[in-house]
Amino acid sequence: MADEKEIDYSLANPDTLTKYRVAATISEKVLAAVSKLCVAGEKVVTICQKGDKLIEEEISKVYRTTKLKGFSHPTTVSPASYVTPYTPLTSDSAEANLELQAGDPVKIQLGAQIDGFGSIVCDTIIVPPKDESQDAITGRSADLLLATYYANELLLRLMVPPGLLAGGSDEDKAKAAAAKPPTQSKITSLLDKVAKTYECNLVESTTSWVFDRNEIEGKKKIVIAPAEGTKGEGTPEVGEVWGVEMGMSLGSGKVKTIDQRATLLRRTSNTYILKSQTARKTLSTVQSKFGHFPFSLRQLEEEGGETKYKVGVYEGVRQGVLRQYELVGDKDGSPVARLLTTLAITKNGISKLGAPPALDLSKVQSDKKITDEEILKILEQPLSKNKGKSKNKKKKKPAKKAAKAEDDSEEESDDE
């Protein structure tokens, strides 16, 4: 049997990409199912439980001999003004009774992993009324969704290394490849133009991370609208996998810590021998079931009672072997939207390894439109090389055309 150190876990190994894609298929399938569960009056905790069960069921059907597989992120459903993923506890009556409200934007985030290769996805939907069909989304909700959608499309294109998709002569390609990638301040500036078009603001310190095996917060990161004292590191390169996040707010975009117990945690790379037997058992459970991926305190509750694990979690956090993700929300209490896409950067461009579904622009109507030529030019660029005559590739080009089509439909509706 080969030594684990000899195994190539990079994207150069076809098995790596296959595992990412299998995880992505599961993540996207469960995201679609959970989205349908999100209707007015449904309890958030029930939706999270059902989502987690679906992930477990789908994971059990693939790579049956692989022990290292499961969640790359538990199912979280974040209410309107919440920025970070939220997963309530069944043992807390206030959290357990929290229900979705019609017309609110909610963020659904979840993910699966195979052999440590995780795909995480996040989508924002407007909660529809129960037992009623959802009308076209208009007003400020439409502005929020469109700002997030187009800013995300822009950011994905800014992830493509310079010259990677260049055509023309060898000299043209070399010139394009020699161009410097956009700085992180330039990225924020471009995205802010989209936000301002729809009278929205970027969510402070929205962060995209490079992914690796058993790692969703690698050595590189892109920080959009960074808060004081924070900054990004590195630029995207071929051979990397990234979790690309976009956050948009109808308020100022500034954030604050929400005064609620943190329920999302993760095993850190720190090593420390915990003193109590309960803490050691808790850490062992976390390691075997979740590895170094995020998990919910509720999932530990369901493993064997909250009280038993609460002590172990407390000691684990105190000693730095567990990290808890504090709940963060919009400072003004304004609605927030988020999207998260897992992608690979290959020699052919961007390959999505888990993404939210494309926004149905025919059902989202706004009187605002993008007119900045620099933005429109970038939105017109493809994400990857068009290999062959696939018609499906052309459908991914349209961010600029979609914006124009959206404008035309607005003009028609204005004439009625």
Side-chain angles (χ1 to χ4, degrees):
M1 188 172 178
D3 189 327
E4 187 172 315
K5 291 182 180 178
E6 297 175 2
I7 300 175
D8 180 8
Y9 289 117
S10 75
L11 292 182
N13 183 345
D15 288 345
T16 296
L17 206 51
T18 298
K19 289 170 183 175
Y20 270 122
R21 284 177 173 153
V22 171
T25 299
I26 293 172
S27 298
E28 292 179 347
K29 181 177 181 179
V30 176
L31 177 64
V34 172
S35 295
K36 292 178 181 178
L37 298 175
C38 292
V39 295
E42 288 296 315
K43 287 184 169 59
V44 172
V45 70
T46 302
I47 297 170
C48 290
Q49 287 175 314
K50 289 180 178 179
D52 286 351
K53 185 177 180 182
L54 286 171
I55 292 173
E56 289 180 330
E57 288 174 356
E58 293 299 322
I59 282 289
S60 69
K61 300 174 185 177
V62 300
Y63 285 88
R64 296 180 186 273
T65 60
T66 300
K67 291 183 179 180
L68 181 58
K69 61 178 182 174
F71 294 88
S72 61
H73 198 283
T75 305
T76 60
V77 178
S78 305
S81 65
Y82 284 50
V83 172
T84 49
Y86 175 62
T87 171
L89 302 176
T90 52
S91 59
D92 185 307
S93 58
E95 292 187 18
N97 290 318
L98 180 64
E99 297 180 351
L100 296 181
Q101 304 298 314
D104 277 358
V106 297
K107 286 72 67 180
I108 306 162
Q109 184 162 318
L110 54 85
Q113 59 92 3
I114 304 292
D115 196 23
F117 300 109
S119 166
I120 303 177
V121 293
C122 177
D123 192 21
T124 296
I125 66 167
I126 303 299
V127 178
K130 193 168 188 176
D131 301 324
E132 292 181 35
S133 59
Q134 191 174 45
D135 296 327
I137 298 168
T138 59
R140 295 298 282 148
S141 292
D143 292 341
L144 180 63
L145 292 187
L146 289 169
T148 311
Y149 170 74
Y150 284 117
N152 187 61
E153 289 295 312
L154 185 66
L155 178 56
L156 293 178
R157 284 156 177 78
L158 294 172
M159 296 291 295
V160 180
L164 187 63
L165 305 181
S169 65
D170 290 342
E171 185 180 348
D172 291 337
K173 292 178 182 178
K175 185 177 180 181
K180 291 183 179 180
T183 63
Q184 299 208 12
S185 60
K186 176 64 173 177
I187 291 173
T188 292
S189 174
L190 290 169
L191 296 173
D192 190 55
K193 288 182 180 181
V194 177
K196 293 297 189 289
T197 296
Y198 293 94
E199 297 178 9
C200 296
N201 282 294
L202 298 169
V203 172
E204 182 180 39
S205 295
T206 296
T207 305
S208 300
W209 292 91
V210 73
F211 284 5
D212 208 336
R213 186 170 183 254
N214 296 316
E215 181 57 77
I216 60 168
E217 294 182 1
K219 295 179 180 179
K220 291 183 180 182
K221 61 181 178 179
I222 294 172
V223 182
I224 298 165
E228 187 176 349
T230 62
K231 65 177 183 177
E233 295 177 49
T235 56
E237 296 180 77
V238 171
E240 294 175 342
V241 173
W242 283 75
V244 179
E245 183 170 339
M246 175 50 56
M248 198 71 68
S249 170
L250 287 180
S252 67
K254 300 297 182 182
V255 300
K256 66 177 181 181
T257 301
I258 298 173
D259 189 20
Q260 282 182 244
R261 172 169 42 181
T263 59
L264 192 67
L265 302 101
R266 181 181 170 223
R267 174 81 165 89
T268 70
S269 58
N270 296 335
T271 56
Y272 182 87
I273 300 175
L274 299 175
K275 295 178 181 179
S276 74
Q277 184 177 351
T278 299
R280 290 195 297 273
K281 186 175 180 181
T282 298
L283 189 62
S284 176
T285 300
V286 168
Q287 188 65 49
S288 62
K289 190 170 177 64
F290 308 109
H292 287 265
F293 291 100
F295 63 92
S296 166
L297 195 56
R298 172 184 48 76
Q299 291 173 301
L300 289 184
E301 279 184 5
E302 293 164 0
E303 283 286 320
E306 182 201 8
T307 305
K308 185 169 71 172
Y309 283 106
K310 190 186 293 184
V311 175
V313 167
Y314 174 77
E315 186 178 339
V317 170
R318 191 164 59 89
Q319 299 299 342
V321 296
L322 292 177
R323 171 192 170 188
Q324 60 184 17
Y325 291 86
E326 301 295 340
L327 274 171
V328 172
D330 186 89
K331 192 173 183 179
D332 309 320
S334 299
V336 169
R338 286 176 55 248
L339 298 174
L340 197 155
T341 303
T342 301
L343 59 82
I345 305 174
T346 72
K347 63 181 181 180
N348 293 315
I350 298 291
S351 177
K352 293 181 181 178
L353 302 176
L359 185 65
D360 187 345
L361 297 171
S362 67
K363 295 181 179 179
V364 187
Q365 301 169 3
S366 171
D367 59 356
K368 302 171 182 65
K369 62 181 180 180
I370 298 171
T371 58
D372 185 281
E373 284 302 319
E374 184 181 15
I375 302 296
L376 292 172
K377 185 177 180 181
I378 297 171
L379 288 174
E380 205 172 37
Q381 296 170 4
L383 288 173
S384 59
K385 292 178 182 176
N386 189 352
K387 294 180 289 183
K389 297 182 179 180
S390 171
K391 293 182 179 179
N392 291 332
K393 291 288 181 184
K394 287 197 172 181
K395 291 184 180 177
K396 291 187 180 179
K397 175 184 164 184
K400 179 177 179 179
K401 291 184 179 178
K404 289 184 176 179
E406 174 198 335
D407 301 339
D408 293 340
S409 66
E410 285 300 324
E411 290 171 9
E412 288 173 12
S413 63
D414 289 343
D415 293 338
E416 291 177 0

